[in-house]
Amino acid sequence: MCRLLGYLGPPIDLHQLLYGFEVPFVRQAHAPRWQDVGRINADGWGVGWWDHTIQPEPARYRTVTPMWADQRFREIAPLLRSTAVVGAIRNASPGAPIDESGNAPFMSGPWLFAHNGFIDGFRLGLGERLRRGVSERRAAEILGAADSEVLFAMVLDRVDGGATATEAILDLIEHITGLADGRFNFLLSDGTSLVATRWGNSLFSRELSVAGSNQRGAIIVSEPLFENPDWTEVPDRSLVTVTTSGSAVVAVVTALPFV
């Protein structure tokens, strides 16, 4: 299984977010403590971040190098700050090719998407069935063979049709769980809000103090980043929405309505 991280709040140092804290995100690549303990996540990683003073689209970095061995990004991370971040560490599904196209976050316009999980039967015919249901516009953006990228295209079709991010994610889960079993921890953001689900894998949320700011951010992550009882374990089959209200960041957890 993979690992996910989402952040929304005042500008934060990406080095602190990814490599800092007592139990840093990078450690989840080689020494996970929740879900699939003992299985390393060595098939690469990626991160995306926004600077809305420059453009609405995020910047993105992806590599097949294991996160703990990737010195390139570790060296530039202290120079980067952002109000919104999506990170993902990959453990590829059996049979999936190990290439950059399969690594989250997946990107289109202002959107970033990551998936921690799998769809049963995706490589046994279901994947082709799902692809046939994707619009020509969004199918043209699918570059690799990952089930997650097809799911992202399905989310975008729903957004194109007028759905909010939350509505698109809810509709996708209802649709996909009617076809197959699997694990569906999703993370979707446009840099101004964040939607995440827990379905089968671990997920935690917490307010986060940020150095140099009197405001607090919110973080969603597969495993807690430090030993502290203030973490909220998101209940299985629940959805988390993170939005800004004035100068405050608000995270709300709700049970999925069709469970």
Side-chain angles (χ1 to χ4, degrees):
M1 291 300 102
C2 307
R3 295 296 186 274
L4 305 178
L5 177 148
Y7 170 81
L8 191 69
I12 193 169
D13 178 340
L14 264 65
H15 190 277
Q16 174 67 24
L17 188 63
L18 300 173
Y19 303 100
F21 301 118
E22 184 180 352
V23 187
F25 186 58
V26 64
R27 178 174 169 175
Q28 297 181 30
H30 63 84
R33 301 187 303 163
W34 293 77
Q35 80 174 67
D36 303 306
V37 175
R39 180 187 295 178
I40 63 173
N41 301 282
D43 298 323
W45 76 287
V47 63
W49 65 99
W50 286 260
D51 185 341
H52 287 105
T53 65
I54 298 175
Q55 62 182 30
E57 296 81 13
R60 180 180 60 170
Y61 175 90
R62 297 191 296 178
T63 179
V64 296
T65 303
M67 188 177 182
W68 69 82
D70 182 10
Q71 294 301 314
R72 291 183 301 166
F73 194 84
R74 186 188 288 263
E75 291 175 359
I76 66 172
L79 304 177
L80 302 173
R81 294 178 65 82
S82 179
T83 58
V85 180
V86 172
I89 301 169
R90 189 184 187 201
N91 182 5
S93 300
I98 310 301
D99 59 45
E100 189 177 288
S101 69
N103 284 20
F106 301 97
M107 181 170 70
S108 180
W111 297 101
L112 290 179
F113 177 81
H115 170 211
N116 176 11
F118 60 87
I119 309 171
D120 282 343
F122 182 80
R123 304 193 184 283
L124 299 175
L126 181 58
E128 287 304 315
R129 178 180 173 184
L130 295 176
R131 282 174 181 263
R132 288 195 296 270
V134 174
S135 68
E136 289 187 13
R137 173 191 177 191
R138 294 306 182 181
E141 296 180 338
I142 300 175
L143 302 178
D147 55 359
S148 304
E149 193 173 18
V150 176
L151 292 173
F152 183 35
M154 296 171 70
V155 168
L156 292 173
D157 270 341
R158 286 156 170 78
V159 172
D160 293 342
T164 65
T166 298
E167 291 168 344
I169 290 292
L170 288 175
D171 191 65
L172 174 64
I173 290 184
E174 185 172 20
H175 177 74
I176 206 71
T177 54
L179 300 175
D181 292 329
R183 299 186 187 183
F184 308 112
N185 280 37
F186 296 145
L187 186 59
L188 177 69
S189 180
D190 62 355
T192 63
S193 63
L194 187 154
V195 178
T197 58
R198 179 183 179 186
W199 186 295
N201 287 324
S202 60
L203 195 69
F204 292 80
S205 66
R206 191 185 190 279
E207 288 189 350
L208 189 68
S209 298
V210 178
S213 175
N214 58 7
Q215 301 176 20
R216 296 169 69 86
I219 189 166
I220 308 294
V221 66
S222 295
E223 303 181 14
L225 299 178
F226 39 85
E227 304 290 355
N228 189 300
D230 292 340
W231 287 95
T232 297
E233 183 173 4
V234 177
D236 197 25
R237 304 194 176 191
S238 294
L239 178 141
V240 186
T241 55
V242 183
T243 56
T244 55
S245 177
S247 61
V249 175
V250 180
V252 178
V253 179
T254 56
L256 294 175
F258 41 83
V259 176

